[in-house]
Amino acid sequence: MTYDYILLDFKSHIPLYQQLYLAVKSAIEEGHLAKGDKLPSIRKLSNDLNLSCTTVEAAYQQLCVEGYVAARPQRGYFVLAALKSGSERQKPLLAGLKSAAIAPIRYNFGSDCVDSENIDIKIWRRHIRDVLNRQDVIASYGTPQGEPELREALAAYSYGVRGVVAAPEQIVVGAGTQPLLSILCGLLNGMDQRVALEEPGFLQAEQIFSDYKMEVLRLPVDENGIQMDALRASGAKLVFVSPSNRVQTGASIPMSRRFELLEWARETGGILIEDDYNGELRYNARPIPAMQGMGRGENVVYLGSFSKLLLPSVRIGYMVLPPVLLERYRPRARRYNQTASKVEQLALSRYVTEGQLERHLRRLRKLYDAKSTALTEALKAAFGGTVSLTLQETLLSLILTVHTKGTEKTSAELCALAAQNGVRIMPTESTGAPKVMLGFAGIPPEDIEPAVHCLKDAWQLV
Amino acid sequence: MTYDYILLDFKSHIPLYQQLYLAVKSAIEEGHLAKGDKLPSIRKLSNDLNLSCTTVEAAYQQLCVEGYVAARPQRGYFVLAALKSGSERQKPLLAGLKSAAIAPIRYNFGSDCVDSENIDIKIWRRHIRDVLNRQDVIASYGTPQGEPELREALAAYSYGVRGVVAAPEQIVVGAGTQPLLSILCGLLNGMDQRVALEEPGFLQAEQIFSDYKMEVLRLPVDENGIQMDALRASGAKLVFVSPSNRVQTGASIPMSRRFELLEWARETGGILIEDDYNGELRYNARPIPAMQGMGRGENVVYLGSFSKLLLPSVRIGYMVLPPVLLERYRPRARRYNQTASKVEQLALSRYVTEGQLERHLRRLRKLYDAKSTALTEALKAAFGGTVSLTLQETLLSLILTVHTKGTEKTSAELCALAAQNGVRIMPTESTGAPKVMLGFAGIPPEDIEPAVHCLKDAWQLV
């Protein structure tokens, strides 16, 4: 530990050794130094604080005499007091903050992990290692807009897999969707500050919009997505959509509505924010290209990410700006520091250009196709007509609606019952029959059947 | 390349083979497919697009006939057209965007790099490798607030080196100062929206504040920092300060003014945002602990970072919230995804707890002490009384003021002259005699003297 927290007043009437003694004593009393901690050697501390060795020795001796520390021959000075870390003052603050204990999970249908068996981890490690060997790279800051070689790679990749029409200069890299939305909200200053989303909204994006004091409008939907009449009537100039996976249903917005939205944007000068989360992870339905490309890059801000494609721990996303916003971005580009790790950006760039991401994507499509089929069949076999199932393809999850008469349970209750039996599933808001969500990205294929049996035991619906 | 951008209309009157032919043809014409690119095999594409092999073959044959692609026996189909990448449509957009060519730099006094010789890169690589070996870690998302073990380590570290009084629960980790300020601005919603800074301001922070539609007030300063009368008169409830290095002068705010600021905060319920950028990098003046600790953690938001301590490419910063803002943060914590790389967070956590960061810090202090002395002496020897020097200690730079009568040059002109001679220095705004900034973090010690000679030749002041 460095002892810079020790504040000595060289003009004070209190002798320096005593000031030092008091500072260390209070650090021990407040728990910042714990039992067994080694104090710096007398020589080291006198050097650091610009004190004579005699002064430090005098302070240490007093601490020894009073029992706060003990000297061990040849080894140095050690703290004897046994207070826990964290000062008294902080304890009331912390008392309410401990997170609740979590029951042991046997089968995890959460949406926050991926099946670690199916990760190209060896290749990824190699790329990271290679980048770490480039001294020039790691000893300098990243490019604010994102590493040029990554933007180059993403321009080609996003066209290939999603039909996105983007020059590298239009691409802004960031540590996920939220930091990118933050930059976007800054660019939208001075424009209309209302943003429309489909009911029931999307919390992670709405949080950013409302932090930027924008007005969030949740508009009613029909079976194809946001109602065009409601959108026109709202007067909003900005729409946030997830055409590949609508938040509630997981269904994608059909071509007809996409064209209507693009036409609305062209007519009104509006901007569509297209969140294409996992848009490339199609394995069941035929892929529909991104709206950005359908609109030839005009009027659309495209958002792409990799957390489920690659590794959830890697925080890299990208945003493609249409010309109208690119003009606003250019003069400010250097004012926004890059948020994504430079090393990970360069590793990803290699991973993309060497074709490994696309190979991995093909593998994932097969894997998730097999898993979603296995889960659907296991659930049908276990519950029969008492449940109905909706695949949220790119969200890698199934929505399970429970139809039981008489003994109705809420979504939260169904999840709690499951949790008691070691099965982690997610509640979802809905009107009518209760729905729960089962994500299958993280569960190994061989666990699917036993997990469903566990769920059946937990619920005992029949 | 994946061919998902190909949009086929199965209900159209245009035969499928012709739709496919047109899609590939336009991809070639628009330059998305370049000369020499290999098309997917017939079997692969028919699989991917759910078409018969005959359909794909018919499309490929037509492309061959028209000279867009060529079939090579045993190898497949290759693009013949030689258009450059990037469609025609995008070219006008890009024309104005190319960055200006940069003259070759022999001696770099920029502030955006560190001397790569002095990085603990071996130890850092080992930690990264260890973390990448933990499957459970990389296959799951990070904790929104920051990895618990890192926050634990930072609580101890920031107390040791800076006297910051923080429980791990008060610490929020993010990919640098800007994403942390973004979260902070969200928390400040509903409170007074004016934020005061010292003249001449600090662009990186002001950009975020104004993006959040806050009113930025640049207040006049006296020799100790922001004028307390001006602050009181402004009515602002929020002050952004860099007590360890004032932006303009690099001087630190003296104890007396720090206490005045803390008292102001206590009296008015105001909040001080303490940007402690490189606060631990003291090697000349005696270190003054952070205001956060002096105020016992109340009324102060503390911001710490590692870019110059560790590696500029690593984007990890942290923010310590006072109780009043922690209360607001808790219910929202899960709505903000973590921006900093999980792998780098865990590597940093090890680096801190194993004491390597503090050891490295000691080494850096000695190194920068030596470098700043060498640079000061070389400049004095070369320019004598025609210049005066101010050390910006934690910014790792010297401000050089040029006093020449008659042939006065602007700061920008001085930098341009230096650049023509291969020396990169930075202009700084000032009234009166022109000032330039020489950062010494990135220049190897042995280059200091020749660099100063080059600068002397470039300027020819005497």
Side-chain angles (χ1 to χ4, degrees):
Chain A
M1 177 165 305
T2 314
Y3 280 71
D4 288 353
Y5 63 86
I6 294 174
L7 186 61
L8 299 175
D9 183 349
F10 283 73
K11 294 174 193 148
S12 165
H13 296 295
I14 305 172
L16 285 168
Y17 89 89
Q18 203 158 359
Q19 290 185 41
L20 179 59
Y21 150 78
L22 286 168
V24 177
K25 175 171 170 265
S26 84
I28 295 171
E29 284 176 347
E30 292 185 1
H32 297 299
L33 289 172
K35 183 174 178 171
D37 279 356
K38 188 174 185 293
L39 295 184
S41 73
I42 290 173
R43 225 182 93 197
K44 202 168 173 190
L45 195 59
S46 73
N47 252 329
D48 280 4
L49 298 177
N50 208 6
L51 296 169
S52 75
C53 283
T54 326
T55 304
V56 179
E57 205 176 352
Y60 278 18
Q61 275 180 349
Q62 186 161 353
L63 289 163
C64 287
V65 166
E66 297 188 5
Y68 285 98
V69 306
R72 296 191 201 153
Q74 310 298 328
R75 298 200 45 216
Y77 292 83
F78 291 83
V79 175
L80 282 184
L83 286 172
K84 287 220 169 98
S85 75
S87 72
E88 285 300 313
R89 196 189 59 75
Q90 286 159 16
K91 275 177 191 153
L93 181 69
L94 306 188
L97 297 178
K98 297 283 171 208
S99 52
I102 292 157
I105 298 166
R106 270 189 296 170
Y107 301 112
N108 192 347
F109 287 106
S111 59
D112 49 1
C113 48
V114 299
D115 185 352
S116 60
E117 296 304 307
N118 297 289
I119 296 169
D120 254 352
I121 184 64
K122 269 192 195 150
I123 296 175
W124 182 252
R125 266 193 212 118
R126 175 162 56 77
H127 288 313
I128 293 277
R129 219 168 25 231
D130 289 350
V131 177
L132 284 174
N133 282 332
R134 292 165 61 185
Q135 288 272 3
D136 58 318
V137 165
I138 57 172
S140 59
Y141 287 96
T143 310
Q145 193 171 346
E147 293 308 299
E149 57 192 270
L150 176 60
R151 288 187 285 121
E152 196 87 39
L154 291 177
Y157 168 80
S158 65
Y159 180 75
V161 301
R162 302 296 300 130
V164 170
V165 185
E169 287 81 354
Q170 287 172 272
I171 296 178
V172 181
V173 175
T177 299
Q178 286 187 330
L180 292 169
L181 282 181
S182 287
I183 292 176
L184 180 62
C185 287
L187 300 181
L188 296 170
N189 259 341
M191 296 167 75
D192 193 273
Q193 294 292 302
R194 289 168 295 176
V195 56
L197 292 91
E198 279 187 25
E199 279 282 12
F202 177 42
L203 206 59
Q204 303 281 328
E206 288 178 33
Q207 184 66 43
I208 304 297
F209 293 132
S210 63
D211 282 353
Y212 277 87
K213 303 173 187 69
M214 293 173 78
E215 191 185 341
V216 174
L217 309 171
R218 291 187 181 176
L219 297 187
V221 294
D222 56 30
E223 71 281 10
N224 291 339
I226 213 160
Q227 283 180 21
M228 293 308 298
D229 288 346
L231 175 56
R232 288 211 169 77
S234 75
K237 282 289 196 321
L238 201 61
V239 182
F240 182 95
V241 278
S242 304
S244 293
N245 44 278
R246 296 171 54 200
V247 174
Q248 181 79 327
T249 64
S252 67
I253 299 177
M255 292 300 284
S256 54
R257 182 57 47 87
R258 294 179 188 217
F259 280 118
E260 285 177 303
L261 284 165
L262 287 166
E263 202 185 303
W264 164 86
R266 259 192 308 275
E267 276 171 12
T268 62
I271 290 172
L272 298 162
I273 305 172
E274 177 178 25
D275 175 23
D276 197 31
Y277 178 75
N278 283 353
E280 46 271 77
L281 260 185
R282 284 280 156 191
Y283 43 90
N284 194 32
R286 189 177 303 281
I288 302 180
M291 287 170 70
Q292 197 269 0
M294 291 164 57
R296 311 289 307 155
E298 303 285 338
N299 307 109
V300 177
V301 177
Y302 176 87
L303 292 167
S305 64
F306 298 96
S307 55
K308 280 279 167 51
L309 284 190
L310 194 60
L311 290 167
S313 59
V314 174
R315 303 291 309 153
I316 302 182
Y318 62 108
M319 164 166 82
V320 178
L321 293 174
V324 56
L325 291 176
L326 186 58
E327 257 173 59
R328 286 171 168 242
Y329 174 74
R330 294 293 304 177
R332 310 181 188 211
R334 295 177 62 88
R335 299 190 200 163
Y336 298 107
N337 294 324
Q338 178 54 241
T339 47
S341 155
K342 188 179 182 183
V343 171
E344 288 175 358
Q345 282 185 68
L346 292 172
L348 176 58
S349 157
R350 288 278 189 87
Y351 195 73
V352 172
T353 50
E354 293 183 7
Q356 288 137 359
L357 182 57
E358 289 190 20
R359 203 152 18 115
H360 184 52
L361 182 57
R362 282 175 195 284
R363 210 160 35 216
L364 284 182
R365 285 174 177 173
K366 276 193 195 130
L367 169 75
Y368 290 131
D369 193 15
K371 277 199 193 182
S372 79
T373 307
L375 181 57
T376 305
E377 281 169 7
L379 288 168
K380 275 185 186 161
F383 295 104
T386 52
V387 302
S388 58
L389 301 171
T390 313
L391 175 64
Q392 295 188 306
E393 192 175 353
T394 56
L395 298 179
L396 304 171
S397 58
L398 280 170
I399 295 283
L400 186 150
T401 312
V402 180
H403 310 284
T404 47
K405 281 167 200 157
T407 57
E408 291 234 335
K409 292 194 168 59
T410 66
S411 174
E413 284 165 352
L414 288 169
C415 293
L417 282 172
Q420 283 167 22
N421 225 14
V423 183
R424 182 167 172 245
I425 57 176
M426 300 295 172
T428 52
E429 275 179 52
S430 66
T431 50
K435 293 175 202 277
V436 295
M437 194 174 96
L438 282 76
F440 49 81
I443 194 159
E446 65 275 16
D447 278 4
I448 289 178
E449 233 182 85
V452 170
H453 279 292
C454 254
L455 191 63
K456 193 181 176 180
D457 288 349
W459 286 351
Q460 305 195 327
L461 291 177
V462 198
Chain B
M1 177 166 300
T2 313
Y3 281 71
D4 288 354
Y5 64 86
I6 294 175
L7 184 61
L8 300 175
D9 182 349
F10 283 72
K11 293 174 195 149
S12 164
H13 296 295
I14 305 171
L16 285 168
Y17 88 92
Q18 203 159 359
Q19 291 186 41
L20 180 58
Y21 150 79
L22 287 169
V24 177
K25 176 172 169 262
S26 82
I28 294 171
E29 285 175 347
E30 292 185 0
H32 296 299
L33 289 172
K35 184 175 177 169
D37 280 357
K38 189 174 185 291
L39 296 183
S41 73
I42 290 173
R43 225 182 94 197
K44 203 171 176 188
L45 195 60
S46 74
N47 251 329
D48 279 5
L49 299 176
N50 207 6
L51 296 169
S52 73
C53 284
T54 326
T55 303
V56 179
E57 206 177 353
Y60 278 18
Q61 275 180 348
Q62 185 160 354
L63 289 164
C64 287
V65 167
E66 298 188 4
Y68 286 99
V69 307
R72 295 191 201 153
Q74 308 299 327
R75 297 197 49 214
Y77 292 84
F78 292 82
V79 175
L80 283 184
L83 287 171
K84 289 221 169 99
S85 74
S87 73
E88 284 303 313
R89 198 189 57 74
Q90 286 161 17
K91 274 178 191 152
L93 180 69
L94 305 188
L97 298 178
K98 298 284 168 205
S99 52
I102 292 157
I105 299 166
R106 272 189 295 170
Y107 302 112
N108 193 347
F109 287 106
S111 59
D112 49 0
C113 48
V114 299
D115 186 352
S116 60
E117 296 305 306
N118 296 289
I119 296 170
D120 254 353
I121 184 64
K122 269 192 196 151
I123 296 174
W124 182 253
R125 266 193 213 118
R126 176 161 56 77
H127 287 314
I128 292 277
R129 218 167 27 230
D130 288 350
V131 177
L132 284 174
N133 282 331
R134 292 163 63 185
Q135 289 272 4
D136 58 318
V137 165
I138 56 171
S140 59
Y141 287 95
T143 311
Q145 192 172 346
E147 293 308 298
E149 58 191 271
L150 176 60
R151 289 187 283 119
E152 197 87 38
L154 291 177
Y157 168 80
S158 65
Y159 179 75
V161 299
R162 303 295 300 131
V164 170
V165 185
E169 285 82 354
Q170 286 173 272
I171 295 179
V172 180
V173 175
T177 299
Q178 287 187 329
L180 292 169
L181 282 181
S182 286
I183 292 176
L184 179 61
C185 286
L187 300 181
L188 296 170
N189 259 340
M191 296 167 73
D192 192 275
Q193 293 294 302
R194 289 168 295 176
V195 57
L197 292 91
E198 280 188 22
E199 280 283 11
F202 177 42
L203 205 59
Q204 302 282 329
E206 288 178 32
Q207 184 65 42
I208 303 298
F209 293 132
S210 62
D211 283 352
Y212 276 88
K213 305 174 186 68
M214 293 173 76
E215 192 186 343
V216 174
L217 309 171
R218 291 186 181 176
L219 296 187
V221 294
D222 55 30
E223 71 281 10
N224 290 339
I226 212 160
Q227 282 181 21
M228 293 308 297
D229 287 347
L231 175 57
R232 287 209 170 78
S234 76
K237 282 290 196 324
L238 201 59
V239 181
F240 183 94
V241 278
S242 305
S244 293
N245 45 278
R246 295 170 56 198
V247 175
Q248 182 80 326
T249 63
S252 67
I253 299 177
M255 291 300 282
S256 55
R257 182 58 46 89
R258 294 179 187 220
F259 280 118
E260 285 176 303
L261 284 165
L262 286 166
E263 202 183 303
W264 164 86
R266 258 193 308 275
E267 277 173 11
T268 62
I271 291 172
L272 298 162
I273 305 172
E274 177 178 25
D275 175 22
D276 197 31
Y277 178 75
N278 282 352
E280 46 270 78
L281 259 185
R282 286 280 156 192
Y283 42 88
N284 195 32
R286 191 177 300 284
I288 303 181
M291 288 171 70
Q292 196 269 3
M294 290 164 59
R296 312 287 306 151
E298 302 286 338
N299 306 107
V300 178
V301 176
Y302 176 87
L303 291 167
S305 64
F306 298 96
S307 55
K308 280 280 166 49
L309 284 190
L310 193 57
L311 289 167
S313 59
V314 173
R315 304 290 312 153
I316 302 181
Y318 62 107
M319 165 167 81
V320 179
L321 293 173
V324 56
L325 291 176
L326 186 57
E327 255 173 62
R328 287 172 168 241
Y329 174 73
R330 292 294 302 176
R332 308 180 189 214
R334 296 178 61 88
R335 298 190 200 166
Y336 298 107
N337 295 324
Q338 178 54 240
T339 47
S341 154
K342 187 179 182 184
V343 171
E344 288 175 358
Q345 282 186 68
L346 293 172
L348 176 59
S349 157
R350 287 278 190 88
Y351 195 73
V352 172
T353 49
E354 293 182 7
Q356 288 137 357
L357 182 58
E358 288 190 21
R359 204 151 20 114
H360 184 52
L361 182 57
R362 282 174 196 283
R363 209 159 37 214
L364 283 182
R365 284 174 177 172
K366 276 191 196 133
L367 169 76
Y368 289 132
D369 194 14
K371 278 198 193 183
S372 79
T373 307
L375 181 57
T376 305
E377 282 169 6
L379 288 169
K380 276 186 186 160
F383 296 104
T386 52
V387 302
S388 59
L389 301 171
T390 313
L391 175 63
Q392 295 188 306
E393 191 175 354
T394 56
L395 297 179
L396 305 170
S397 59
L398 279 170
I399 294 284
L400 186 149
T401 311
V402 180
H403 310 285
T404 48
K405 281 167 199 157
T407 57
E408 291 236 335
K409 291 193 170 59
T410 66
S411 174
E413 285 165 351
L414 289 168
C415 293
L417 282 173
Q420 282 166 23
N421 226 13
V423 183
R424 182 168 172 244
I425 58 176
M426 299 294 171
T428 52
E429 275 179 53
S430 65
T431 50
K435 293 175 203 279
V436 294
M437 195 175 96
L438 282 76
F440 49 80
I443 195 159
E446 64 275 17
D447 279 2
I448 288 179
E449 234 182 84
V452 170
H453 280 292
C454 254
L455 191 62
K456 193 181 179 180
D457 289 346
W459 285 352
Q460 306 195 326
L461 290 177
V462 200

